[in-house]
Amino acid sequence: MILDAQLLDIQPLLGENLFNSILTSPEDFTELLDGGIYENDGISYTNYGLKMVICYFAYARYMLFSSAIDTPFSVVQKISSNDSKPAENSVKKTIYSLNREAAFQIWSNVKNYLKRTKNPEFVHCNTSMGNLRFTKLS
C-alpha cells in the first residue's frame, strides 16, 4: 500500500524528476520529507512533510483495499460487546475518501513549501483528487 501510494499518488503530484531525485538521494530532501519550520520573505511557515502525505494516502489505500484491516479479522463494526461483523464497503469507501481528502490538504501545505523554496525540480503536475467511481461487478 505504501509503494502504491508513492507511485500512484505522490509521483504525479511531485513530477517525475523530483520524485526520482528523492528516491535516488533521500538524504538530500530531509526537510521536504520530514517537514519543519522554514522562512520565506521574513515569514515563518510550517511544512508538515511529504512523509505525512504518504501516510494518509497509504492508510486510505490500506482501509479500502486490504482484506485484513485494523483487526485480525478485517475492519469490523461492533454489534455488542463481544460480537462484530465485517464493515460495509460504503464505510470503507468513506474512510478512504476522508483520508485522501486529508492527504490532499497536507499536500497543499507541502506544495506551498516547494513553491516558496523554489525547488527547481518541482513541476506541478496534478492536484485534483480525481473522480473515483466504484462499480460492483456481477
Side-chain angles (χ1 to χ4, degrees):
M1 299 300 164
I2 295 169
L3 184 58
D4 283 353
Q6 289 174 333
L7 295 174
L8 302 175
D9 297 317
I10 298 299
Q11 183 178 12
L13 296 174
L14 291 175
E16 188 175 14
N17 287 343
L18 181 54
F19 182 78
N20 287 332
S21 292
I22 294 169
L23 287 180
T24 302
S25 302
E27 66 278 0
D28 294 340
F29 298 93
T30 303
E31 191 172 304
L32 171 62
L33 292 168
D34 295 338
I37 297 173
Y38 66 98
E39 295 273 331
N40 184 54
D41 293 333
I43 301 171
S44 293
Y45 295 96
T46 300
N47 165 29
Y48 296 121
L50 195 58
K51 287 180 182 178
M52 185 182 285
V53 180
I54 294 168
C55 287
Y56 275 92
F57 277 126
Y59 187 69
R61 288 178 174 281
Y62 172 74
M63 289 303 293
L64 185 61
F65 300 116
S66 179
S67 62
I69 302 172
D70 289 346
T71 73
F73 307 104
S74 186
V75 173
V76 295
Q77 295 174 321
K78 283 302 220 182
I79 299 171
S80 66
S81 61
N82 293 326
D83 297 326
S84 61
K85 68 176 185 172
E88 299 290 327
N89 280 336
S90 62
V91 171
K92 292 170 73 172
K93 289 177 196 173
T94 299
I95 295 169
Y96 172 82
S97 296
L98 291 172
N99 278 278
R100 284 188 59 84
E101 287 174 23
F104 277 106
Q105 285 295 104
I106 298 163
W107 162 248
S108 178
N109 170 271
V110 174
K111 180 177 70 174
N112 286 339
Y113 165 80
L114 289 167
K115 287 180 177 181
R116 289 177 182 141
T117 58
K118 296 175 178 53
N119 185 301
E121 293 184 272
F122 176 61
V123 177
H124 181 60
C125 295
N126 179 17
T127 59
S128 69
M129 289 178 55
N131 293 325
L132 183 61
R133 291 185 168 254
F134 296 92
T135 306
K136 183 175 179 180
L137 300 176
S138 299

